[in-house]
Amino acid sequence: MLLAALGFACLLPVANGFAPASSHARQQRLSYGTKNTKQMLSMGDDLFENFKRLWGGGGGGNEENRDPIFSADDASDDEVAGTTPIASIPVQSIKPGGLRLFLMFYLMGMQNTPDRGTWQANQPSSEDYVVEMYYHDSSAMLSIELMDDEINITRFGSLPSTSYLMQESVILQGILDELDQCAFDENIPVNDRLLVPEPSNAIELARGTLSFG
């Protein structure tokens, strides 16, 4: 019991390191908002945040001046600005919990692309099937929402920087590649796959609407 208590106490400073740094930092992200809900992280979510930190997210030199866990949930609907739908992929079936985890691991692995601290992956809620990707200059972010009948990819940010737009295409291409892998892995029975697009070429249709230069 004592060892467990000590172990949990050691985790708290790391988890607390992801709290919003200041009201000014929070204000800088208001244009990212999607909806007005706030969730307290469970112990399991705290452990997941610690794992993200160990993975290498937010490890740049400006970490103290950034607010890596400020979520779109912290903004009210009236404050939302610059919402740009990127792609919508209809699905016949989806396992949102497993797919959210799969995408989260992929985005975590892309946080240091092309440079350390370029991106910050985030799961804003343990209840909603949404993952987010913040850009280091705070000009915009990507949100991937997994719904019962479709997958929506949306950009939030009124004035995304040129640098953001260039790197966004890399992340989008990777997301579509990961979705394609989940949908068409022949080693997995169709009924067990994380998603089945409808029509079957829905991912490629979405890719065709995007410009990757």
Side-chain angles (χ1 to χ4, degrees), residues 154-176:
T154 307
R155 178 196 304 140
F156 293 97
S158 299
L159 295 171
S161 64
T162 301
S163 174
Y164 169 85
L165 293 174
M166 292 176 62
Q167 297 305 320
E168 180 191 70
S169 66
V170 176
I171 299 300
L172 287 173
Q173 186 77 276
I175 290 172
L176 294 178

Side-chain angles (χ1 to χ4, degrees), residues 32-134:
Y32 288 168
T34 53
K35 51 192 169 180
N36 186 27
T37 58
K38 293 184 179 180
Q39 299 289 342
M40 292 186 65
L41 292 174
S42 65
M43 183 182 298
D45 293 325
D46 289 337
L47 292 174
F48 189 64
E49 293 300 330
N50 287 321
F51 181 73
K52 289 198 296 183
R53 188 180 182 91
L54 291 173
W55 189 282
N62 295 326
E63 182 176 355
E64 292 182 357
N65 297 323
R66 295 170 58 196
D67 180 14
I69 203 174
F70 183 83
S71 166
D73 293 343
D74 289 300
S76 70
D77 292 337
D78 293 335
E79 292 166 327
V80 175
T83 303
T84 305
I86 300 296
S88 180
I89 302 170
V91 297
Q92 175 183 323
S93 66
I94 188 171
K95 295 178 171 58
L99 186 56
R100 179 182 62 179
L101 181 62
F102 187 90
L103 289 175
M104 191 64 191
F105 277 117
Y106 168 73
L107 294 177
M108 287 163 58
M110 294 295 292
Q111 289 181 126
N112 298 322
T113 303
D115 302 309
R116 185 172 179 81
T118 297
W119 294 96
Q120 174 71 54
N122 184 43
Q123 179 181 305
S125 168
S126 60
E127 298 181 0
D128 298 325
Y129 298 110
V130 177
V131 292
E132 300 170 337
M133 198 67 157
Y134 295 94

